[in-house]
């Protein structure tokens, strides 16, 4: 899913929601580690870095001030909907649910 979203939005820094944290992947993780002074780690074939959900907008603001646009990728299904659907054994669907730029971010 990440690769498909990345191909459609190459100009965004993507933050993928994973429970109570947001994960940067690939080149975004490398950039985040330098800008936010956070550690990176390998998960499968992707370089990752993560931030707690409670600090999301603090870090989004830092990217926006540096001139980047940020996309938030969230689950579009709830566990209840997933359990009732015919594709309950597949991954949760994810999509970009918000895009922020300097002009659209309100503090």
């Amino acid at each position: 899913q990440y690769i498909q979203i990345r191909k459609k939005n190459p100009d965004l820094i993507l933050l993928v929601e994973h429970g109570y944290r947001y994960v940067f992947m690939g080149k975004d993780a490398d950039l985040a580690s330098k800008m936010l002074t956070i550690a990176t780690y390998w998960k499968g074939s992707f370089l990752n870095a993560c931030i707690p959900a409670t600090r999301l907008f603090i870090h989004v603001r830092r990217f926006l001030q540096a001139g980047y646009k940020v996309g938030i990728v969230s689950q579009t299904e709830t566990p209840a909907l997933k359990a009732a659907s015919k594709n309950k054994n597949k991954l949760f669907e994810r999509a970009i649910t918000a895009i922020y730029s300097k002009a659209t971010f309100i503090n």
Side-chain angles (χ1 to χ4, degrees):
Q1 291 174 333
Y2 171 79
I3 294 170
Q4 293 170 344
I5 295 170
R6 167 55 61 210
K7 284 181 182 176
K8 291 179 185 175
N9 303 280
D11 60 328
L12 297 178
I13 301 296
L14 293 178
L15 280 152
V16 182
E17 181 181 17
H18 282 268
Y20 295 109
R21 61 192 170 122
Y22 285 87
V23 178
F24 297 94
M25 295 180 183
K27 66 179 180 117
D28 296 340
D30 190 41
L31 179 63
S33 73
K34 292 173 183 156
M35 283 190 61
L36 307 177
T37 324
I38 58 176
T40 60
Y41 59 94
W42 287 95
K43 187 169 184 180
S45 60
F46 283 102
L47 183 64
N48 288 313
C50 63
I51 57 171
T54 56
R55 308 273 299 166
L56 174 65
F57 294 113
I58 292 167
H59 296 307
V60 166
R61 187 180 322 118
R62 291 177 73 183
F63 281 101
L64 299 178
Q65 288 171 344
Y68 295 97
K69 291 193 309 186
V70 178
I72 306 297
V73 178
S74 301
Q75 286 181 192
T76 56
E77 299 177 297
T78 65
L81 286 173
K82 185 77 166 166
S85 73
K86 58 184 169 190
N87 56 343
K88 56 183 153 190
N89 294 329
K90 294 184 180 178
L91 294 173
F92 280 94
E93 287 296 317
R94 296 184 193 280
I96 292 180
T97 55
I99 296 176
Y100 297 106
S101 67
K102 277 186 178 182
T104 62
F105 189 75
I106 299 173
N107 210 0

